[in-house]
Amino acid sequence: MSALVAGTAAPAPTAARRPRGGLWRAILHNRKAMLGAVLLVLFVLLAAFPHLFVPWLHGDPRAIGDLPLEHPSGKHWLGTTGLGQDVYAQLIYSTRESLIIAVVVGLGATFLSVIIGVSAAYLGGYADDALSMLTDVFLVLPTFPLIIVLATYAGKGNLTVIVVVLILTGWSYGARQMRAQALSLRNRDFLESARVRGERQSYIIVVEMLPTMISLIVANFLGAALYAVLTAAGLQFLGLGDPNSLSWGTMLYWAQNQGALVNGLPAWALSPGLAVALLGVSFAMLNYAFDEISNPALRPVRRRRARSH
């Protein structure tokens, strides 16, 4: 009887007993990731509902005012531009374009990284050689000078051109990571069983392989979005964007051209730069959560430290 009880007291673990909600647990238990999530939610709210944060503004924040180069006051919290435009209103309304660039470029670059990196690893042979050579070529290219040349000659001031250029120059590093991860999965038992069943290669890649790489894919998206935010702001600051658009990079461009620092208006020059930095910080901090998921070695270390305290 005791042997029977002993044999049934500790049933084998099942999938239902495995911890769930790994993503949310990683964010909630990682202060840096939590900070990144809170910042990102704030920027999403600013982009979606800018009028709620500037309730006194009625009309276009680019409208010319009658108080140029005014210092910060109760009416204009961050002062006004050389054309009398409210700097704070422009800062809030510029969030939308900057966030759209980050998300679109992040998605586009991640899509190319997944398609090229995973296909190279899974197909192997000549396909792997060709795709790996293409990735290596883009990895060694001087990215920022290339972006300036392409953005200048392909269509100066065109936001679509800037987005396409950033996607084409931002996928190679992620593709190299995807290939390395896919190579470690290519000969696993669950993929071999799918081949034995006669599944199509596209089915095996999309349904069987990619779900096991979600944390790496999301981390690559965050890295590509961070790259897009910083690079797009740099291009717009150099005057390669639309000077009439509302974005943080364009604000930096006009602040420099109209002598914000010389005229004693540091808030005009520093606020968009701080916004770019904070959005970049939000993407970078969120990477900690996905590092914790994709690298199981990080989790036991944290648990041991928690128990020791």
Side-chain angles (χ1 to χ4, degrees), residues 11-22:
T14 61
R17 298 188 176 207
R18 292 174 187 169
R20 298 179 180 178

Side-chain angles (χ1 to χ4, degrees), residues 31-97:
R31 293 181 180 178
K32 294 178 181 178
M34 193 64 185
L35 173 61
V38 170
L39 285 174
L40 186 57
V41 169
L42 174 60
F43 283 118
V44 170
L45 291 176
L46 290 174
F49 311 104
H51 57 280
L52 297 180
F53 298 87
V54 196
W56 61 85
L57 181 68
H58 302 286
D60 190 348
R62 291 168 293 193
I64 297 176
D66 54 0
L67 296 172
L69 300 177
E70 183 182 8
H71 290 267
S73 62
K75 184 178 180 181
H76 301 287
W77 293 356
L78 298 177
T80 61
T81 69
L83 298 177
Q85 301 155 325
D86 188 276
V87 173
Y88 171 75
Q90 288 199 339
L91 181 71
I92 298 300
Y93 276 84
S94 294
T95 306
R96 179 174 298 173
E97 180 174 309

